[in-house]
């Protein structure tokens, strides 16, 4: 590697109670390049970035930025020095406008008042430059996850950063939006900005990177130029073993129809007239572009959203899933897309997060819960799902994203559902942990449970599912046999109704 670096993190060590998160890590970033950081969940990638931003104090090591030794006291200190980060978990004030979220803590002022017009113009200028089509005045909570992700990227750029760390920036983006992000990254590179890019998506890494660093269990495994390493080698370095198959074999023949959805239409018109049948032991995928109505369809099935019309039949009988409580009683469970926003209680323990959906099972009497029964159940869940945690009382927020996802999946399995609704279940999860999730899904299907899975990764849908229902602009565009379909067929179906106005038009 060259001798000129914009950032050097030398011999970084960080220890938490019960675990050495970083063990003598050295990362050196060249100006105007994309340096990808890879590793399984828990490898220490996000921890290393948190050390860079001053969120965690270093136990050992030094950071040299732009030729000067630095020791940031927190993210605000790093931002003032022109280092910013796009976090995997979006931390936005949802009831405030997009432009307020971007300029939070540094509002343009006119005397003692916030200059709303200047803030709007500054935001619009950045959005126009980045070709982002979002109204700066709309509330952040009204946006799709993908649009919120692009707003976070714009915010990071607004600090005139010399180094931008991006942690799983495409986890909620479609292929078209990923291409848009890559155009932004290439524009930044031409300006001399360096990108530290954390992703588990091999195709992206091979397309966008200049350098690749692989970490495993808190240690540096290798740093290579992108053109000197292959996808298979990256996977081997990440997991410490050969992983020849990305998807486990499906050896299950789905049984009789257990769920029938007929002409389901959402009250808010996010989708209309969607009809599916789901077989016992089947994994049914849902594909489509962001805004197609995929998440809204799952949320309506689970009673989070109100339906306008349509019927849902379970084992031939019509059911009322108008609330999540009723859906749960009917044997449904739902894993949501944004685990940090509406999936976990970050400051509470792994144990609490595991049992919160099934508390009635652990009652000792009217007011007390059985600690012994809880411990036995959580121990079994942690073992069965291979959850990596120092202990069951550790805050779930301290776990890697993949292990958080396993805890939430374990939580819903404890409710003993028959139908699992999974919204982007492998979002932000490394290739090894993804394989484990797929194996769990196969095992559940073999036990007779049925799964509906939304995913933005077409290879995943083709590799994991039996059939794939494609949605386009709130309408059903077709149902394909996964063994006979390909990515081109999925994309063509996803674009089928895109030129039309809206789901209710």
């Amino acid at each position: 590697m060259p001798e000129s670096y914009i950032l050097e993190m030398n011999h970084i060590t960080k220890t938490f109670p019960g675990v050495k998160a970083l063990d003598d890590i050295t990362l050196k970033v060249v100006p105007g390049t994309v340096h990808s950081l890879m590793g399984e969940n828990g490898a220490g990638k996000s921890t290393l970035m948190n050390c860079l931003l001053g969120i965690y104090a270093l136990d050992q090591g030094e950071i040299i930025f732009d030729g000067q030794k630095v020791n940031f006291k927190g993210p605000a200190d790093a931002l003032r020095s022109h280092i910013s980060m796009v976090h995997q978990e979006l931390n936005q004030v949802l009831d405030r406008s997009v432009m307020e979220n971007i300029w939070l803590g540094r509002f343009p002022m006119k005397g003692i008042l916030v200059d709303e017009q200047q803030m709007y113009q500054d935001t619009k200028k950045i959005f126009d430059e980045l070709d982002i089509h979002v109204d700066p005045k709309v509330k952040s909570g009204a946006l799709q996850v993908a649009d919120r992700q692009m707003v976070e990227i714009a915010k990071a750029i607004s600090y005139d950063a010399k180094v931008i760390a991006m942690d799983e920036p495409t986890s909620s983006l479609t292929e078209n939006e990923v291409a848009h992000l890559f155009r932004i990254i290439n524009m930044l590179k031409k300006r001399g900005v360096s990108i530290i890019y954390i992703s588990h998506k091999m195709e992206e890494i091979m397309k966008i990177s200049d350098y690749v660093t692989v970490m495993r269990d808190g240690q540096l495994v290798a740093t290579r130029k992108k053109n000197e390493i292959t996808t298979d080698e990256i996977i081997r370095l990440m997991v410490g073993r050969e992983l020849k198959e990305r998807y486990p074999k499906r050896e299950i023949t789905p049984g009789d129809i257990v769920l029938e959805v007929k002409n389901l239409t959402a009250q808010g018109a996010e989708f209309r007239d969607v009809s599916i049948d789901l077989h016992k032991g089947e994994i049914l995928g849902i594909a489509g572009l962001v805004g197609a109505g995929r998440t809204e369809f799952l949320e309506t099935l689970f009673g989070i959203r109100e339906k306008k019309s349509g019927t849902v039949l379970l084992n031939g009988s019509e059911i009322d899933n108008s609330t999540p409580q009723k859906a749960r009683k009917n044997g449904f469970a739902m894993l949501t897309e944004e685990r940090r926003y509406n999936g976990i209680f970050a400051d509470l323990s792994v144990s609490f997060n595991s049992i919160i959906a099934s508390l009635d099972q652990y009652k000792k009497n009217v007011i007390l819960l059985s600690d012994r029964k809880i411990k036995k159940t959580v121990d079994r869940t942690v073992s069965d799902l291979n959850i990596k945690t120092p202990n069951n009382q550790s805050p779930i927020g301290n776990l890697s994203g993949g292990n958080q996802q396993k805890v939430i999946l374990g939580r819903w399995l404890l409710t003993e559902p028959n139908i699992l609704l999974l919204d982007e279940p492998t979002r932000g999860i490394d290739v090894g942990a993804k394989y484990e999730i797929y194996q769990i899904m196969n095992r559940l299907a073999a036990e007779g449970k049925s799964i509906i899975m939304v995913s933005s990764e077409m290879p995943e849908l083709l590799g994991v599912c039996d059939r794939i229902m494609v949605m386009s602009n709130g309408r059903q565009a077709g149902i394909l046999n996964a063994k006979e379909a390909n990515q081109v067929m999925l994309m063509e179906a996803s674009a089928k109704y895109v030129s039309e106005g809206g789901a209710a038009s």
Side-chain angles (χ1 to χ4, degrees):
M1 293 182 67
E3 295 181 359
S4 174
Y5 304 108
I6 183 67
L7 174 69
E8 297 179 60
M9 301 184 72
N10 297 318
H11 307 293
I12 306 298
T13 297
K14 181 63 184 176
T15 301
F16 296 105
V19 60
K20 197 168 192 177
L22 299 173
D23 185 5
D24 194 30
I25 296 288
T26 292
L27 177 72
K28 299 186 178 187
V29 180
V30 178
T33 63
V34 175
H35 195 126
S36 290
L37 196 54
M38 302 202 70
E40 291 189 281
N41 289 104
K45 307 180 299 296
S46 297
T47 301
L48 185 64
M49 292 301 96
N50 286 334
C51 287
L52 171 62
L53 295 175
I55 296 172
Y56 297 149
L58 304 181
D59 293 339
Q60 294 177 28
E62 65 173 8
I63 298 174
I64 298 173
F65 173 63
D66 208 7
Q68 302 293 320
K69 187 173 180 179
V70 296
N71 184 19
F72 300 130
K73 303 303 180 185
D77 197 7
L79 287 168
R80 283 190 291 269
S81 298
H82 305 293
I83 295 179
S84 61
M85 181 167 180
V86 180
H87 293 274
Q88 178 182 347
E89 307 295 350
L90 302 175
N91 294 307
Q92 296 169 330
V93 185
L94 298 182
D95 62 348
R96 308 305 298 179
S97 70
V98 166
M99 62 184 187
E100 286 175 304
N101 271 279
I102 286 181
W103 303 104
L104 191 66
R106 50 187 180 133
F107 293 141
M109 304 299 292
K110 184 185 290 184
I112 62 171
L113 300 176
V114 174
D115 191 338
E116 297 273 348
Q117 185 61 31
Q118 185 64 52
M119 183 162 54
Y120 176 83
Q121 291 175 355
D122 291 345
T123 305
K124 194 73 169 62
K125 181 181 178 182
I126 295 173
F127 283 3
D128 288 346
E129 183 181 14
L130 302 180
D131 195 27
I132 294 175
H133 304 287
V134 172
D135 181 358
K137 294 182 179 179
V138 75
K139 286 187 177 181
S140 291
L143 297 179
Q144 296 277 349
V145 176
D147 287 330
R148 289 174 55 205
Q149 189 86 46
M150 296 305 289
V151 168
E152 281 296 289
I153 291 165
K155 180 177 180 178
I157 293 169
S158 74
Y159 285 93
D160 194 24
K162 295 181 180 179
V163 172
I164 302 176
M166 297 184 178
D167 192 354
E168 297 289 350
T170 66
S171 59
S172 301
L173 306 184
T174 64
E175 289 199 1
N176 288 338
E177 289 159 333
V178 170
H180 181 195
L181 173 62
F182 285 0
R183 288 194 295 272
I184 292 173
I185 289 175
N186 284 325
M187 178 188 72
L188 293 170
K189 284 176 61 177
K190 290 176 182 177
R191 294 181 184 175
V193 178
S194 299
I195 310 293
I196 301 175
Y197 193 89
I198 300 175
S199 178
H200 295 120
K201 299 181 180 180
M202 296 296 167
E203 295 81 6
E204 292 181 6
I205 295 297
M206 300 310 289
K207 183 178 292 186
I208 199 68
S209 305
D210 296 294
Y211 297 92
V212 178
T213 287
V214 179
M215 296 173 62
R216 185 171 70 239
D217 298 329
Q219 296 182 327
L220 178 69
V221 178
T223 295
R224 306 271 179 81
K225 288 184 177 180
K226 188 274 299 283
N227 57 12
E228 296 175 351
I229 197 167
T230 65
T231 298
D232 288 342
E233 188 176 5
I234 290 174
I235 294 174
R236 181 180 60 78
L237 291 171
M238 281 174 57
V239 303
R241 63 187 186 278
E242 296 289 344
L243 191 61
K244 295 180 181 179
E245 298 292 336
R246 298 279 288 276
Y247 307 101
K249 292 181 180 178
R250 290 277 295 150
E251 298 177 346
I252 302 151
T253 301
D256 296 333
I257 293 174
V258 293
L259 179 70
E260 297 172 82
V261 179
K262 298 182 177 180
N263 304 111
L264 190 64
T265 299
Q267 187 63 49
E270 292 91 353
F271 66 88
R272 61 171 178 166
D273 291 330
V274 174
S275 299
I276 63 166
D277 53 49
L278 180 68
H279 296 252
K280 184 175 182 178
E282 181 180 25
I283 300 177
L284 175 68
I286 302 183
L289 304 176
V290 170
R294 301 168 305 164
T295 292
E296 291 80 2
F297 175 68
L298 288 194
E299 289 179 345
T300 303
L301 276 183
F302 196 62
I304 296 173
R305 291 176 180 264
E306 185 180 356
K307 77 172 183 179
K308 181 179 181 180
S309 60
T311 57
V312 179
L313 304 176
L314 183 65
N315 296 318
S317 300
E318 186 171 352
I319 58 171
D320 175 14
N321 273 14
S322 56
T323 68
Q325 291 76 17
K326 291 179 180 179
R328 283 178 54 197
K329 287 183 179 178
N330 287 325
F332 286 68
M334 181 169 175
L335 192 83
T336 57
E337 179 181 7
E338 289 192 82
R339 59 176 170 264
R340 184 164 291 277
Y341 174 54
N342 54 19
I344 66 170
F345 300 89
D347 295 329
L348 298 179
S349 69
V350 169
S351 181
F352 177 89
N353 277 274
S354 296
I355 66 163
I356 187 61
S358 54
L359 285 176
D360 287 346
Q361 298 180 26
Y362 311 103
K363 284 185 176 179
K364 184 184 292 186
N365 52 43
V366 178
I367 61 172
L368 296 178
L369 300 176
S370 170
D371 290 339
R372 182 186 60 80
K373 192 172 182 182
I374 289 172
K375 184 179 184 306
K376 182 178 179 181
T377 299
V378 176
D379 283 347
R380 186 177 68 248
T381 298
V382 168
S383 175
D384 288 349
L385 301 187
N386 193 26
I387 298 168
K388 296 177 182 177
T389 175
N391 58 67
N392 295 346
Q393 298 309 312
S394 295
I396 191 174
N398 290 351
L399 271 58
S400 66
N403 286 302
Q404 290 177 12
Q405 196 78 318
K406 289 183 192 176
V407 172
I408 303 171
L409 181 57
R411 170 200 300 168
W412 287 113
L413 294 181
L414 291 176
T415 67
E416 300 181 350
N418 291 314
I419 295 175
L420 276 163
L421 310 176
L422 308 180
D423 195 355
E424 303 284 4
T426 66
R427 178 188 173 201
I429 294 178
D430 66 78
V431 64
K434 279 184 177 183
Y435 194 86
E436 291 181 321
I437 294 289
Y438 303 148
Q439 287 179 314
I440 292 168
M441 291 169 62
N442 275 355
R443 188 185 77 210
L444 294 171
E447 293 171 359
K449 299 184 187 301
S450 304
I451 297 170
I452 303 177
M453 178 181 77
V454 167
S455 175
S456 297
E457 296 187 38
M458 289 187 289
E460 176 175 77
L461 291 169
L462 294 167
V464 172
C465 301
D466 298 295
R467 293 183 299 150
I468 303 168
M469 190 260 282
V470 186
M471 296 185 68
S472 176
N473 200 24
R475 297 176 61 184
Q476 187 169 340
I479 297 180
L480 307 174
N481 185 317
K483 290 184 175 64
E484 299 170 357
N486 56 46
Q487 293 191 47
V488 173
M489 295 166 68
L490 293 181
M491 279 301 298
E492 287 175 347
S494 296
K496 187 173 183 178
Y497 301 117
V498 167
S499 59
E500 297 187 4
S505 62

